Amino acid sequence: MNKVSIRLKNGTVDYTQKTEVLLAGSCDAFFPMSIIRDKKTTRGIFDTSGFRKLADLEGLSASQVLSLAEDVLLLIEKCEDYLFFPEEYILSAETVYINEESKQLKITYIPNARNLNFSKSLACFFHQLKSATTENGRVYLDTLGALLSCEKLRTERVIGFIEKLKQEIYLCGIR
């Protein structure tokens, strides 16, 4: 059984709407959270059984890692539908999980106290994925990271750029 436990400080999670969404599992982008309280602390517990951290992946081709990046962007959009914005939670290869059978992604909700802007957070996330891919995959992730660090782009435009990169990989036979 795989469990992730985080310590929640009062005020880090909106205890009305957001906690209800996390507890009920309404947003399937996040693992459902259980809360345990004692006199001094409040803990959020996530059951990650059947999923694997993206940080544990290795040997992904350039196309696979770009598809994964695209899926993460779509996951972020799904979170925003429930008013969970990427500046509010930690997005990293340690907090995003994949079910390799169904290719489903989920996030463990860990409040982000530093409130990094979306572009920087995403660029750091893509940098972390570099250890899971080939040399060509690292080059494409660098390209994606450079794009994000230069401009603030809407998710649709970044996904469109990823699609162009994947098409280039296919047409050129890049692994």
Side-chain angles (χ1 to χ4, degrees):
M1 189 168 1
N2 299 324
K3 302 261 186 215
V4 174
S5 173
I6 62 167
R7 184 176 178 184
L8 298 173
K9 296 178 184 174
N10 290 337
T12 58
V13 176
D14 178 359
Y15 280 94
T16 54
Q17 181 186 11
K18 291 188 179 180
T19 302
E20 289 174 14
V21 170
L22 291 169
L23 289 171
S26 302
C27 176
D28 66 352
F30 291 108
F31 285 103
M33 180 172 70
S34 301
I35 291 183
I36 299 173
R37 290 186 179 107
D38 63 18
K39 292 180 182 178
K40 296 180 183 177
T41 60
T42 302
R43 292 199 156 299
I45 309 290
F46 304 95
D47 182 2
T48 62
S49 298
F51 286 79
R52 201 171 145 188
K53 287 184 206 174
L54 294 187
D56 295 338
L57 297 179
E58 50 189 37
L60 297 174
S61 70
S63 180
Q64 288 172 320
V65 79
L66 286 177
S67 291
L68 190 60
E70 183 178 7
D71 291 343
V72 167
L73 288 169
L74 293 171
L75 188 70
I76 291 168
E77 279 190 337
K78 192 183 295 187
C79 295
E80 289 175 352
D81 290 343
Y82 288 85
L83 303 177
F84 286 89
F85 299 101
E87 297 84 14
E88 300 172 349
Y89 56 88
I90 295 174
L91 180 68
S92 76
E94 293 288 329
T95 62
V96 180
Y97 289 71
I98 187 169
N99 179 316
E100 293 181 87
E101 293 173 10
S102 65
K103 301 298 181 203
Q104 180 185 16
L105 295 176
K106 286 192 179 271
I107 302 172
T108 53
Y109 180 84
I110 300 175
N112 183 5
R114 297 185 308 185
N115 288 329
L116 287 178
N117 75 32
F118 176 56
S119 295
K120 283 186 181 181
S121 178
L122 203 53
C124 289
F125 174 74
F126 290 151
H127 181 74
Q128 291 172 346
L129 284 182
K130 288 167 64 172
S131 64
T133 188
T134 63
E135 185 175 335
N136 288 327
R138 288 189 285 278
V139 169
Y140 281 103
L141 286 173
D142 283 339
T143 303
L144 207 50
L147 172 75
L148 290 168
S149 66
C150 293
E151 297 183 43
K152 181 171 172 38
L153 299 173
R154 291 190 339 249
T155 305
E156 300 86 30
R157 298 204 71 187
V158 177
I159 289 174
F161 184 70
I162 290 172
E163 286 300 320
K164 286 182 181 181
L165 293 177
K166 287 178 12 182
Q167 187 176 33
E168 177 182 305
I169 290 168
Y170 175 73
L171 292 173
C172 296
I174 297 171
R175 172 104 176 100

